[in-house]
Amino acid sequence: MNTFLIFLILIIAVAFFLVVVIMVQNPKGGGLSSTFGGGSNQQLGGVKKTTDFLDKSTWTLAVALLVLILTSSLAIPRQGVTSDSKILENDNIELPAPTETPATDNTSTPVDSTFSE
């Protein structure tokens, strides 16, 4: 299996889980924490711990996604790329002879003196 394909599958999986974790959260403090008895204080884990878990998992998945994307660039298959440069191979290239430029015209355009100070 290609290394880039493995990175691609991991990136898709982490992105999917990141979307799920973000969609479970509610920006107003509700979300999953209020779904499981947010009004009662007799919960096993507590609302605060659920919110902390979702927050930490969001950051963890976001960092993991960023790292996977950056490291996957190293695994991109590069076809047709060689380590030898074609510029270095062609040291003895003959440059064309310079062409002659037409003689410059010594006639100058008159300067309008109305704008000079």
Side-chain angles (χ1 to χ4, degrees):
M1 197 177 216
N2 192 359
T3 308
F4 182 71
L5 185 62
I6 293 170
F7 274 114
L8 188 62
I9 292 169
L10 287 173
I11 288 170
I12 291 172
V14 169
F16 175 75
F17 288 128
L18 184 62
V19 168
V20 169
V21 168
I22 289 173
M23 294 300 287
V24 166
Q25 295 177 4
N26 188 357
K28 295 176 184 153
L32 184 65
S33 58
S34 66
T35 303
F36 294 119
S40 77
N41 292 331
Q42 301 298 326
Q43 273 185 289
L44 179 62
V47 176
K48 181 68 176 158
K49 290 188 179 187
T50 304
T51 306
D52 287 343
F53 171 74
L54 291 174
D55 188 42
K56 287 179 184 178
S57 62
T58 301
W59 282 105
T60 304
L61 288 171
V63 169
L65 184 66
L66 182 68
V67 168
L68 283 171
I69 289 171
L70 291 177
T71 55
S72 69
S73 67
L74 301 174
I76 294 176
R78 299 187 185 356
Q79 297 174 355
V81 177
T82 61
S83 62
D84 297 332
S85 175
K86 291 186 178 185
I87 294 174
L88 296 176
E89 290 176 4
N90 299 328
D91 289 353
N92 301 326
I93 296 176
E94 292 185 28
L95 298 175
T99 59
E100 292 184 25
T101 58
T104 58
D105 191 12
N106 288 338
T107 60
S108 61
T109 58
V111 177
D112 191 10
S113 62
T114 58
F115 292 110
S116 62
E117 291 182 33

